Amino acid sequence: MTLKTIIKLIENELLPNINLKSIKPNDPIIVSNVPNQWKVLGSGNYAAVLYNSNFPYYAVKIYAENRPGIDKEIEVYNKLGYHPSYSQCFYHDKNYLILRRLDGITLYDAIVKGIQIPESVISDIDKALDYAITRNLYPHDVHFKNVMMKDGKGFVVDVSDFYKYEKCLLWAHSKKAYNKIYKNILYKLHPPIPNFILNIIRKIYQLYKR
Ligand SMILES: Nc1ncnc2c1ncn2[C@@H]1O[C@H](COP(=O)(O)OP(=O)(O)O)[C@@H](O)[C@H]1O
Ligand SMILES: [Mg+2]
């Protein structure tokens, strides 16, 4: 019942109004023209994710025009099945998915806001990635904007690249940053770190990867 209602709202209210702009392929999608009752949960380089305040259980992931990958993401969710550290896909159409909304904040936002990231979050994510491997998937593109935490628990929000059979060191590098820099220097005081500094680090990392 509610799923049908939210599909109608997406088709009749959200999609005809929302504007998604992909300015550079390596930068997040810019979202504008968000109708009343809808709130942006976040955006990545492919898609924007929103929820409707009357249906907070669902998150709608809308792919920007010309950004590929939605079919693969659906396939990944089918393979994953249910696991408490992942979302689920309830419905999909040409350019959007209806997912279970994960409560909490990304580890990236936790660093920006100065909220402490406990080690249990990191170990939950490790376990979730091991689980994905048992489902014949390959953890990929797991970094601080693609993982979330709530009440000391860790979640993986973005599985869109888990079908790619190629080595990805992002989570290994993110964990190294957590163990070497975060735990030793930031853990106790966890001061807020401005977005622009994290953006500089992100850009340096992108250069270093090339
Ligand atoms: N199921 C979800 N529940 C809550 N927030 C989500 C969910 N999925 C994504 N988000 C938020 O939206 C952002 C972008 O989603 P993501 O799947 O990473 O898009 P992209 O594939 O473009 O990188 C995430 O960083 C996160 O903040
Ligand atoms: Mg992402």
Side-chain angles (χ1 to χ4, degrees):
M1 180 62 196
T2 51
L3 190 59
K4 272 195 185 146
T5 315
I6 199 163
I7 293 169
K8 269 203 188 132
L9 284 175
I10 295 167
E11 310 259 336
N12 300 333
E13 184 185 288
L14 183 61
L15 295 179
N17 288 298
I18 195 170
N19 196 356
L20 304 184
K21 254 200 213 123
S22 165
I23 294 167
K24 281 191 210 151
N26 286 324
D27 282 330
I29 304 285
I30 310 285
V31 190
S32 58
N33 254 7
V34 177
N36 272 341
Q37 316 281 327
W38 290 91
K39 293 192 173 65
V40 179
L41 287 163
S43 66
N45 298 352
Y46 288 83
V49 180
L50 298 97
Y51 78 100
N52 185 295
S53 47
N54 294 318
F55 303 92
Y57 182 71
Y58 297 107
V60 185
K61 177 167 180 175
I62 310 171
Y63 272 69
E65 225 176 308
N66 300 326
R67 301 308 268 140
I70 189 162
D71 295 336
K72 292 292 184 192
E73 184 161 1
I74 294 163
E75 219 180 289
V76 170
Y77 272 116
N78 282 336
K79 280 190 168 183
L80 270 181
Y82 177 78
H83 186 281
S85 301
Y86 289 99
S87 176
Q88 279 167 278
C89 182
F90 297 117
Y91 181 83
H92 53 83
D93 206 322
K94 211 170 68 262
N95 63 337
Y96 72 86
L97 307 172
I98 302 181
L99 305 172
R100 177 161 54 89
R101 180 180 159 210
L102 298 173
D103 209 1
I105 59 166
T106 65
L107 299 203
Y108 183 93
D109 287 339
I111 294 169
V112 172
K113 292 183 178 151
I115 298 170
Q116 193 185 50
I117 303 171
E119 282 189 83
S120 56
V121 169
I122 305 294
S123 71
D124 278 356
I125 293 161
D126 273 336
K127 283 184 208 141
L129 301 182
D130 287 343
Y131 167 78
I133 293 167
T134 69
R135 310 295 298 197
N136 292 322
L137 291 162
Y138 318 100
H140 201 106
D141 203 32
V142 182
H143 53 75
F144 283 0
K145 280 185 182 172
N146 283 343
V147 293
M148 296 178 81
M149 65 174 198
K150 163 96 181 168
D151 301 332
K153 292 202 174 79
F155 307 90
V156 182
V157 273
D158 189 359
V159 295
S160 50
D161 285 332
F162 277 33
Y163 68 93
K164 284 188 185 163
Y165 181 65
E166 62 188 45
K167 212 174 170 69
C168 176
L169 292 171
L170 262 177
W171 180 241
H173 290 160
S174 305
K175 255 194 336 192
K176 215 183 230 177
Y178 179 87
N179 286 325
K180 295 240 164 5
I181 304 165
Y182 191 86
K183 250 173 44 193
N184 290 335
I185 305 169
L186 302 170
Y187 190 81
K188 281 213 185 94
L189 290 171
H190 46 89
I193 314 250
N195 231 316
F196 82 91
I197 292 185
L198 293 179
N199 252 326
I200 293 170
I201 296 171
R202 187 172 66 90
K203 289 289 172 199
I204 293 170
Y205 182 73
Q206 282 175 358
L207 282 175
Y208 155 82
K209 264 200 311 184
R210 273 183 227 148

